[in-house]
Amino acid sequence: MTYWDRAIAVQLARIRETINNSAPDSALSLQSAALAHGLDVLLPTIDIQLVITCTHSRPQTRIGIRGQGFAPSVVRRSRRRYPPSAFAQTEYGKALDLPYLIIEYLAYEDIVPALVTIESAVRKIVQPDRRDRKGTVRRFRKLTRLLRNIITRLKDRRYTKRMLKNLELVSPWSESAGETITKLRMLEAGLPRAIQQQQISTSSATYFADFCFPCERIVVEFDGLVKYREAHPHAPTSTPLRILEDVKRALDQRERDIKVAFPTIVRITWAQLWDLRVFILLRRLLNPKSLAEPLKLNSNFDWYTYKRTRIHEESEDYAPEWRRKAG
């Protein structure tokens, strides 16, 4: 078991223990609820978040067993006045249902990890279909109307403006945490909103581009690298992964086909994702008239860069030679 898998397993065990020993009106919230629902979480912490419907004498407590290799967790309780329909039962206990969990994250100060989990929840609710864009948009608009109605009915209106502003950033088309962050980084660099999962039909096949700027004939692809390589089953986690030859051939063919209609393809890896200079250089490829006001993100990307090797994949240093040249 990798460090990442072990950390998640320990956190889920603590979540189950906490909710089972809590009052009946307690429910999992934020990251704890996200893990219970099986959603994407950018970088899980050891804290546990609960919502309660009444005043609690101890808003914070500590739990944890020595010898697990992890520090004790801090259980944080926040009072909320949500209706009974706001909660759902999960494998790990009572938790906020997905729409209300999205509401909690929309008020979150750091939009980067918040949007990763929000769009993961949106994908679970909307079930986006790239070949049925109209149906997906219809279901997504229904969800956004529901979220707006919940926000306007909230008795605590301190974060209403932030929630509605962050809701404008949500999309059903980001297929992974990496694509969500790529979108935010492009907006932070002042790029216009790209079309996500744009269908590109060629004589031999139909492809879907992660991000597309049709006027400039530019495609931006987030390249997680996992689908291109695999590790030996007995190799340590630090061992560089080897290339899958058949996938490499398919990728080369895909690029040749797409370049007929979109000559410029920009690939962004996890290692490049945290460097804003990559996205500033991308600005130079676009029409200056299409550029937008840079989005101000309240996020510490230096901290995420430091933690990157534990977040999702290995560093770019381990990328095979053909991928480095292609990048």
Side-chain angles (χ1 to χ4, degrees), residues 16-170:
R16 192 198 300 270
E17 175 189 355
T18 300
I19 199 66
N20 288 341
N21 294 329
S22 299
D25 69 329
S26 302
L28 300 171
S29 176
L30 291 175
Q31 184 187 102
S32 300
L35 291 174
H37 282 290
L39 303 179
D40 290 342
V41 173
L42 181 59
L43 188 63
T45 67
I46 61 174
D47 291 344
I48 297 173
Q49 301 86 15
L50 299 178
V51 293
I52 55 177
T53 58
C54 61
T55 303
H56 198 283
S57 60
R58 299 178 66 187
Q60 292 188 16
T61 54
R62 287 181 178 271
I63 67 165
I65 303 173
R66 292 184 179 180
Q68 289 180 330
F70 294 87
S73 295
V74 177
V75 181
R76 307 180 188 277
R77 300 174 180 86
S78 303
R79 186 179 179 184
R80 296 288 187 272
R81 297 180 179 178
Y82 289 148
S85 59
F87 305 98
Q89 192 66 31
T90 71
E91 178 184 355
Y92 299 94
K94 184 180 177 182
L96 284 176
D97 202 7
L98 292 180
Y100 281 86
L101 178 58
I102 293 174
I103 292 296
E104 289 280 307
Y105 266 110
L106 286 173
Y108 205 68
E109 188 174 7
D110 191 344
I111 187 58
V112 177
L115 197 63
V116 166
T117 302
I118 288 170
E119 293 196 333
S120 178
V122 168
R123 290 193 297 271
K124 197 166 185 177
I125 297 172
V126 175
Q127 296 293 311
D129 183 352
R130 297 181 300 184
R131 298 183 182 275
D132 181 19
R133 292 191 73 92
K134 290 184 178 180
T136 300
V137 170
R138 184 171 59 252
R139 294 189 296 274
F140 178 64
R141 286 178 177 172
K142 181 180 178 181
L143 174 61
T144 54
R145 285 196 299 268
L146 171 64
L147 296 174
R148 289 181 185 275
N149 289 337
I150 295 175
I151 292 172
T152 55
R153 293 199 306 266
L154 290 176
K155 295 183 179 180
D156 185 355
R157 305 182 65 84
R158 288 177 297 173
Y159 306 113
T160 299
K161 185 176 180 181
R162 181 192 295 174
M163 290 178 180
L164 295 174
K165 181 180 178 181
N166 288 340
L167 185 58
E168 297 297 324
L169 300 175
V170 180

Side-chain angles (χ1 to χ4, degrees), residues 199-305:
Q199 181 172 321
I200 302 175
S201 298
T202 67
S203 57
S204 59
T206 298
Y207 305 101
F208 294 90
D210 293 341
F211 303 92
C212 180
F213 298 96
C215 295
E216 290 84 0
R217 300 171 68 192
I218 296 174
V219 162
V220 178
E221 297 268 71
F222 171 72
D223 193 354
L225 299 181
V226 163
K227 57 182 175 292
Y228 305 130
R229 294 172 291 157
E230 68 178 4
H232 188 277
H234 302 294
T237 56
S238 61
T239 301
L241 307 182
R242 60 185 175 85
I243 303 171
L244 293 174
E245 292 297 334
D246 54 339
V247 178
K248 177 183 180 299
R249 287 193 294 269
L251 176 65
D252 291 341
Q253 182 62 47
R254 183 179 189 273
E255 289 194 353
R256 286 194 294 268
D257 290 345
I258 291 178
K259 282 185 176 180
V260 174
F262 295 87
T264 304
I265 299 179
V266 179
R267 292 193 169 276
I268 297 174
T269 65
W270 274 109
Q272 298 166 333
L273 192 56
W274 312 106
D275 189 353
L276 188 59
R277 292 174 297 179
V278 175
F279 300 92
I280 293 175
L281 291 174
L282 184 57
R283 282 174 58 99
R284 301 180 182 179
L285 300 176
L286 300 177
N287 186 340
K289 295 182 179 180
S290 68
L291 300 179
E293 186 70 20
L295 178 68
K296 295 181 180 180
L297 299 181
N298 182 25
S299 187
N300 185 356
F301 278 98
D302 292 335
W303 181 78
Y304 287 121
T305 303

